[in-house]
Amino acid sequence: MPSIATWLAFALVALGMALTPGPNMMYLISRSLCQGPAAGLVSLGGVALGFVVYMISAAFGITALLFAVPFAYDVLRFGGALYLGWLAWQALKPGGRSPFEVRALPRDSNRRLFLMGLFTSVLNPKIAMLYLALLPQFVHPEHGSVLTQSLLLGTTQIVLSVLVNSSVALSAGAISKFFAQRPAWLRIQRWLMGGVLGALALRMATEARR
């Protein structure tokens, strides 16, 4: 089992990642704005299932990664840092857009909403990076089973992400209206998002391999 300090540190990082808009959150916001909060929650069901797929796959893969192919950790780490840096640039570059800006999209059935949420989650490099490059930094073999630690940390990420994203889906309309009436706050949100992403990218790139 991970120590309380390690678990809390990971929970804080996972919460920061959940609060930082990526493909999953952008999809949920777009559906909530176009079809209402219920559509956003249906989409979130698919996203959460994608998290479970990643957690189970990564929990078993991390064991092999740490003990059989140590150099692969650095490849994943630097790849994740580059991706986070790219997301930070998308938020900070001139003309960048906030995910809370309304976009017109066609209406989808509940089945399609769920499946699109699942595919968005499974194909989301941000989640792949979190499980394959970030989570291993918090797994310590000396604390017990790597598999148990990975599953516990993965479950923590899923719970926090579902709580954050369900709140966003339910309040997307109100948030969008708030930002539409206050352009300065929209710019602050973009810069805050870019700053968090940039800081995570820097931390990942400079983290020494264990």
Side-chain angles (χ1 to χ4, degrees):
M1 296 289 287
S3 66
I4 295 297
T6 298
W7 179 74
L8 290 176
F10 178 79
L12 184 61
V13 171
L15 179 60
M17 293 288 287
L19 291 171
T20 304
N24 289 343
M25 184 180 288
M26 292 178 186
Y27 178 70
L28 295 175
I29 291 172
S30 67
R31 282 302 155 198
S32 296
L33 292 177
C34 292
Q35 294 185 231
L41 293 178
V42 172
S43 302
L44 178 57
V47 169
L49 180 58
F51 290 155
V52 174
V53 171
Y54 261 115
M55 179 184 70
I56 294 175
S57 299
F60 289 96
I62 284 172
T63 303
L65 180 67
L66 291 178
F67 293 104
V69 194
F71 74 88
Y73 175 76
D74 285 336
V75 175
L76 291 169
R77 179 166 58 89
F78 285 116
L82 287 174
Y83 175 67
L84 285 177
W86 179 80
L87 284 179
W89 168 245
Q90 294 302 305
L92 298 174
K93 70 178 183 180
R97 298 185 65 180
S98 166
F100 290 102
E101 294 181 67
V102 179
R103 298 170 177 80
L105 292 173
R107 297 180 65 86
D108 287 332
S109 65
N110 285 344
R111 179 175 180 273
R112 182 173 175 80
L113 289 170
F114 184 89
L115 290 177
M116 286 302 296
L118 173 60
F119 292 148
T120 300
S121 182
V122 171
L123 299 177
N124 183 358
K126 176 183 173 182
I127 301 304
M129 177 277 304
L130 187 150
Y131 274 98
L132 299 179
L134 193 61
L135 187 147
Q137 299 180 32
F138 297 88
V139 174
H140 302 278
E142 65 272 18
H143 290 168
S145 168
V146 170
L147 177 61
T148 300
Q149 292 182 65
S150 300
L151 290 175
L152 177 60
L153 295 175
T155 300
T156 299
Q157 182 273 329
I158 292 173
V159 170
L160 290 173
S161 185
V162 168
L163 289 175
V164 169
N165 283 291
S166 60
S167 299
V168 169
L170 293 172
S171 59
I175 296 173
S176 178
K177 183 178 179 180
F178 174 87
F179 281 129
Q181 296 173 345
R182 300 167 177 83
W185 281 96
L186 196 62
R187 289 192 295 272
I188 291 173
Q189 185 268 333
R190 283 178 48 220
W191 279 91
L192 181 61
M193 177 177 68
V196 171
L197 286 168
L200 286 173
L202 182 62
R203 180 185 187 279
M204 183 172 293
T206 57
E207 181 78 15
R209 187 177 69 187
R210 288 186 281 107

